[in-house]
Amino acid sequence: LIFSGKKQVSAYLCYMDTDWSGLHARIGLLGGGQLGRMIIQKAIDWDLDIHVLDPDSQAPCFDLCAHFTVGSLNDFHTVLAFGEDKDILTVEMENVNIEALEELEKKGVRIYPQPRVLKTIRDKGLQKEFYRLHGIPTAPFKLFNSIDVQDIAQHLPCVQKLRTGGYDGKGVQILRTEADLERAFSEPSVVEEWIPFEKEISVIVSRNVKGENSVYPAVECEFNPEANLVEFLFSPAEIKPEIEKKAQDIALGIIDDLQMVGLLAVEFFLTKDQELLVNEIAPRPHNSGHHTIECNATSQFEQFLRAILNLPFGDTRTTHTGAMINLLGAEGQEGDVQYVGLENLLSVDGVYPHIYGKRKTKPYRKMGHITLTADSLNELKSKAEKIKNMISVQGKTN
Amino acid sequence: LIFSGKKQVSAYLCYMDTDWSGLHARIGLLGGGQLGRMIIQKAIDWDLDIHVLDPDSQAPCFDLCAHFTVGSLNDFHTVLAFGEDKDILTVEMENVNIEALEELEKKGVRIYPQPRVLKTIRDKGLQKEFYRLHGIPTAPFKLFNSIDVQDIAQHLPCVQKLRTGGYDGKGVQILRTEADLERAFSEPSVVEEWIPFEKEISVIVSRNVKGENSVYPAVECEFNPEANLVEFLFSPAEIKPEIEKKAQDIALGIIDDLQMVGLLAVEFFLTKDQELLVNEIAPRPHNSGHHTIECNATSQFEQFLRAILNLPFGDTRTTHTGAMINLLGAEGQEGDVQYVGLENLLSVDGVYPHIYGKRKTKPYRKMGHITLTADSLNELKSKAEKIKNMISVQGKTN
């Protein structure tokens, strides 16, 4: 465990120069996917100097950054070499070589979010231990190093999550009956109580080097049960103000407990008896904040930049009622991507497609998203269904 | 004259395939300045394939486009070679080699706005003749091929504008007294009656290949008299609804008379007796539309793309009361640019700086702009003054 109490955590921070501002910094970004792309799209406004490292020269960031290095995010020497001449290093994914980041941190490179935060969050076991240590409400859980069918059987129905390496809905499964145990993961995992929740909500918080923080209004997520991915998001969430306040306080508490610099998405289950349980956290801009580009005074991408550059935070207020639909690769479709219906979509008012520029599609791959605005949540809900059926992400094999 | 009546104009359009859509087109952009930069920033959302031609490899677009060609915009062969493998060519400035565009048009490249439109607009003499021919209200004028002091003297006070080559407030001067005639331009010019206007307003319209059009709400511009550049812009304009309607109808009339494909900014004088006179037009995204990024449901850059790609238009509705301040290079300052005060600016809510990424500043050079939002125009007016004084664009000579 990285954390064994609050006092120890603070010790990591004593060297920090809180007056520093990173507007003129040389910024290294690990990962060149869609999150990086939307970060860069915002960074253009401030003419920031962003350098990207990604293994794929066809990554979504490639065409729109001045400095792109092709290389592995998991290789110690590659990450070290990439980071050495940067003032700040940041990530758009957790799955990077953290040992190299720790080495760079020692050399004086600012790593935001900090390597110790990435270490805690990317291992779902450590994440759960952290909640337990800090009294953060979460579903009861048990850690497994390998499969122990007899033990797991006592906890059915349960959710099994790989401790590391899962992403975009992969590495997570519900085990309902003893028959399901046949497909239980044998790698180190977290097994947690299955929560029959009423809603899933998400709150995004951020914190800069000075320790100032900021929180967004809560949003509501509807998952696609097959892909285990957010299918629709609605903002604001239809929950009682006191529930929203409580979720915001928990989220702010987590980023403060982590003493993290950066942006943190906190996903909650809201149970039928109105209890909030933290499901997962992500230390970066998040799918549940994409609507903020059009629907809030400050987007999550701008707020993320403000956090890591140690700038004051922008206004998080909701300016438009909005929905977000993920554009996932259609089932059974693979190859060169085609967005069938995109032109028709553009004839509807308040529709903002974001195409990530990935060349190849495959089933359930995140290829883009669409933000919708309308005057009311009711209007949005029917609009979202209609829009979703107007577009399909298809593939063409050559 | 390019135009001698409406019938002849329509003849240019008969070959157009109005069902075509350009979402997957190879797009060439002549000019890589701030307008191109903001066009590309929006184009990222639709993953458009934009190729830029500009003589300066340090131009604002350089870092953020996949394909940048360094070359002269005024050289016939350079423009021809650049355009030959494109599906659409467009411009972010009027001062380009139009003969090459005409040649490319004959070869089947779609040039939007059309070369004949660029020809009419970039020559302020032809522009004025066009207004006269189409009954568009404008200040009385006379064309001069060279200087004729005796003749001009009869028209004092007047405004003299170079027919071609003026930009960003250059090539325009007010001649009040006979003494001013000493500095009269000797090149071909338009001399027009000096209009003691009450306000300057601007309306942006757009038109696609199908002939569908769209119009933005009117905005109000306050000019810096020294630089003859927009200093503050306020949206919406504080004018009577019937005046706004009239301005919108005139602007729509102009783009229809031109049968232009693209986006057109129409600047008006509103005289003390509430008469509207067209001052100038620009066939591209315009300084008086920058606020639309934050303040309207669809930005002028998106609307421009919709026009040239023959897509249906987006909603132009004002969603936020806003102001725009141009960030001009400070007087007496030259060299490597520094934005003094930018960090402080970011501590104020509803402030959106856009830095264009130009490396060198000089007095009155357009280096960026700031959009402000607030709940009312009154609040905005005091906020605009305050914000303007918080930031200064300075230079550092090495």
Side-chain angles (χ1 to χ4, degrees), chain A residues 200-206 214-221 237 239 243-252 263-268 276 280-282 286 288:
Chain A
E200 291 202 69
I201 67 169
S202 171
V203 169
I204 290 175
V205 287
S206 48
S214 150
V215 57
Y216 278 91
V219 300
E220 198 167 326
C221 305
I239 52 176
I243 299 288
E244 178 176 46
K245 176 72 171 62
K246 198 174 163 190
Q248 289 177 319
D249 287 345
I250 293 171
L252 284 168
L263 188 102
L264 183 78
V266 181
E267 294 178 282
F268 294 90
L276 283 165
E280 277 187 27
I281 59 179
H286 190 253
S288 66

Side-chain angles (χ1 to χ4, degrees), chain A residues 272-322:
Chain A
K272 292 192 203 307
D273 38 342
Q274 301 292 292
E275 197 189 354
L276 283 165
L277 297 174
V278 172
N279 176 24
E280 277 187 27
I281 59 179
R284 50 169 170 74
H286 190 253
N287 202 182
S288 66
H290 290 351
H291 67 289
T292 58
I293 297 172
E294 287 89 5
C295 299
N296 292 69
T298 305
S299 80
Q300 70 164 342
F301 300 100
E302 175 172 346
Q303 204 76 323
F304 163 77
L305 288 168
R306 287 173 178 259
I308 67 166
L309 305 181
N310 198 30
L311 295 168
F313 286 113
D315 181 3
T316 57
R317 197 173 6 157
T318 301
T319 55
H320 295 87
T321 307

